[in-house]
């Protein structure tokens, strides 16, 4: 039986995002054969430029993806470790995926763009990453659809300013990373696009997501097993499924703890904040606080605590939570099962909470 600790606060959070220092050397993809017309495959040129930047002995090398260009990339992985303790990808240009699924022949189907084992990676710019997911959405088999942008084992990661649209599956995946700062992103896909999560986090620690817009066909942010010290603040979420933890319980050690969601706005989402577990998995949920939340819902059941019948949920706190139904004549209500905790200044009242 594992313990899940999840806290939702609405307060202020201030994070300093590292700026771009003057790189002593830069590596422009155009100098390595990139075309940038949106039709020619620029994958090989990007890999050559990346290899040069990654191996550079200089401090803070920069991979330059120049503005006013559109770069077509087939599935590609940018691997580390690199020689420098930090490396910059400066991206004022646009990157697009192939229009055809055939481009994945001979490649790992699970991902399109990936960075692996690159510490001190800073991706900064105003460019757009376009996954061209429309070709994939009609047949959304999860094992046969690529994730758009994956970071694996990248500590000290910074993502700032980029736009990311129409991913094939997840837009951004953070896996087995520590010390991650994501800010000022704009992530969007149609509300009907399947499995297009905005940001997925698994097995990662000390992740900060702030001041961004995320509107997709699935979770704005999803937090999975093995993650801790996750801070999410200033997010405008919707359309989508809200901000989620889980689903948990499929593995033997599905622990998530110290999650804080603050100053976020949900508009046109299926839920606000939620914790998902597999039935009969025996996951214990404890120490959850919902504080200073107000809003409206098209459903009349606005608070739903359905806890495991054997282990239940403990220390669930509601403080200053006010949610109304937008349906004329419908009164909002709460539903609880085997949940322990208390509430104060909350409407609807959560009368089913056990001591």
């Amino acid at each position: 039986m594992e313990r899940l600790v999840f806290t939702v606060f609405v307060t202020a959070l201030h994070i300093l995002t590292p700026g771009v220092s003057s790189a002593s050397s830069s590596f422009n993809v155009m100098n390595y054969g990139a075309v940038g017309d949106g039709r020619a495959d620029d994958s090989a040129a990007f890999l050559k430029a990346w290899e040069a930047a990654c191996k550079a002995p200089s401090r803070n090398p920069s991979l330059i993806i120049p503005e006013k260009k559109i770069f077509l990339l087939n599935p590609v992985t940018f691997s580390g470790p690199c020689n420098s303790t930090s490396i910059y990808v400066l991206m004022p240009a646009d990157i697009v995926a192939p229009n055809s699924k055939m481009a994945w022949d001979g490649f790992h189907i699970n991902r399109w763009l990936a960075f692996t084992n690159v510490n001190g990676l800073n991706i900064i710019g105003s460019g757009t990453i376009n996954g061209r997911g429309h070709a994939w959405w009609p047949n959304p088999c999860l094992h046969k659809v690529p994730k758009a942008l994956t970071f694996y084992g990248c500590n000290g990661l910074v993502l700032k300013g980029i736009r990311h649209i129409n991913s094939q599956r997840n837009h951004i995946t953070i896996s087995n990373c520590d010390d991650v700062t994501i800010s000022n992103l704009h992530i969007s896909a149609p509300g009907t696009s399947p499995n297009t999560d905005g940001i997925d986090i698994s097995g990662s620690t000390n992740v900060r997501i702030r001041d961004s817009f995320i509107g997709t066909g699935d979770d704005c942010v999803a937090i999975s097993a093995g993650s801790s010290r996750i801070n999410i603040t200033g997010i405008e979420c919707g359309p989508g499924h809200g901000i989620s933890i889980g689903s948990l319980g499929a593995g033997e050690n599905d622990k998530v703890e110290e999650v804080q969601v603050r100053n976020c706005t949900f508009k046109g989402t299926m839920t606000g904040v939620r914790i998902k577990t597999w039935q009969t998995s025996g996951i214990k949920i404890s120490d959850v606080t919902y504080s200073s939340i107000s809003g409206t819902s098209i459903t009349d059941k606005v608070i739903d605590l359905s806890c495991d019948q054997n282990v239940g949920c403990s220390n669930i706190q509601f403080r200053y939570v006010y949610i109304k139904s937008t349906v004329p004549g419908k009164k909002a209500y709460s539903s609880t099962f085997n949940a322990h905790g208390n509430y104060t200044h909350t409407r609807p009242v959560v009368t089913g909470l056990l001591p």
Side-chain angles (χ1 to χ4, degrees):
M1 178 179 69
E2 298 300 333
R3 186 183 181 202
L4 174 68
V5 182
F6 173 47
T7 308
V8 177
F9 293 116
V10 180
T11 56
L13 179 66
H14 300 284
I15 299 172
L16 295 178
T17 303
V20 180
S21 61
S22 297
S24 55
S25 61
S26 60
F27 302 84
N28 192 315
V29 296
M30 301 300 289
N31 296 334
Y32 292 84
V35 178
D37 63 357
R39 297 185 300 273
D41 179 9
D42 289 320
S43 306
F46 269 61
L47 283 174
K48 290 177 183 178
W50 171 260
E51 184 178 5
C54 188
K55 290 182 177 180
S58 56
R59 182 183 178 187
N60 302 333
S62 297
L63 180 72
I64 308 298
I65 308 173
E67 63 182 344
K68 299 180 181 179
K69 298 287 185 179
I70 301 175
F71 297 95
L72 171 66
L73 295 184
N74 282 319
V76 63
T77 297
F78 303 96
S79 300
C82 297
N83 285 337
S84 178
T85 56
S86 62
I87 184 169
Y88 288 83
V89 176
L90 305 182
M91 198 193 95
D94 296 343
I95 295 174
V96 296
N99 272 320
S100 172
K101 295 181 181 180
M102 294 179 64
W104 268 260
D105 290 348
F107 292 95
H108 198 301
I109 191 64
N110 195 44
R111 60 196 185 193
W112 171 36
L113 306 175
F115 290 84
T116 62
N117 302 311
V118 183
N119 292 337
L121 174 62
N122 296 259
I123 301 180
I124 300 171
S126 57
T128 298
I129 297 174
N130 185 350
R132 289 178 169 173
H134 296 86
W136 299 87
W137 297 336
N139 300 295
C141 176
L142 287 181
H143 300 293
K144 296 182 179 179
V145 179
K147 302 173 183 178
L149 180 59
T150 298
F151 299 93
Y152 181 88
C154 296
N155 301 328
L157 172 66
V158 173
L159 300 178
K160 183 178 181 180
I162 62 174
R163 295 175 62 90
H164 199 163
I165 64 173
N166 297 333
S167 67
Q168 306 91 341
R169 187 177 162 189
N170 310 355
H171 283 79
I172 296 173
T173 300
I174 308 294
S175 180
N176 290 81
C177 299
D178 177 64
D179 185 19
V180 177
T181 301
I182 300 174
S183 65
N184 303 105
L185 300 192
H186 188 284
I187 302 173
S188 63
T192 55
S193 58
N195 306 311
T196 53
D197 291 3
I199 302 173
D200 278 10
I201 303 166
S202 65
S204 297
T205 55
N206 299 304
V207 179
R208 300 164 293 277
I209 305 173
R210 64 181 180 88
D211 302 332
S212 298
F213 170 85
I214 306 174
T216 69
D218 211 298
D219 293 327
C220 292
V221 180
I223 304 163
S224 299
S227 299
S228 63
R229 297 186 293 279
I230 312 297
N231 286 274
I232 303 169
T233 185
I235 302 301
E236 183 179 344
C237 170
H241 294 181
I243 294 176
S244 302
I245 292 179
S247 294
L248 302 176
E252 295 182 358
N253 188 29
D254 281 6
K255 179 186 291 186
V256 173
E257 57 187 355
E258 296 182 56
V259 176
Q260 298 181 355
V261 179
R262 311 179 180 194
N263 295 343
C264 294
T265 302
F266 303 86
K267 185 176 181 180
T269 56
M270 186 177 74
T271 64
V273 288
R274 61 176 177 170
I275 304 170
K276 304 181 291 181
T277 64
W278 291 99
Q279 278 190 316
T280 71
S281 62
I283 290 289
K284 181 174 178 58
I285 299 173
S286 64
D287 304 324
V288 181
T289 299
Y290 299 91
S291 177
S292 302
I293 298 173
S294 63
T296 60
S297 171
I298 62 172
T299 63
D300 46 356
K301 183 165 68 173
V302 299
I303 297 174
D304 188 5
L305 305 176
S306 300
C307 301
D308 184 89
Q309 62 181 353
N310 296 317
V311 299
C313 305
S314 62
N315 194 25
I316 311 300
Q317 305 290 327
F318 288 85
R319 303 168 184 164
Y320 298 93
V321 176
Y322 301 98
I323 306 175
K324 298 179 180 180
S325 173
T326 59
V327 180
K330 289 286 186 178
K331 186 177 181 180
Y333 71 95
S334 65
S335 174
T336 65
F337 178 79
N338 204 16
H340 299 253
N342 60 62
Y343 69 93
T344 181
H345 299 282
T346 295
R347 294 293 183 274
V349 296
V350 195
T351 54
L353 276 176
L354 303 172

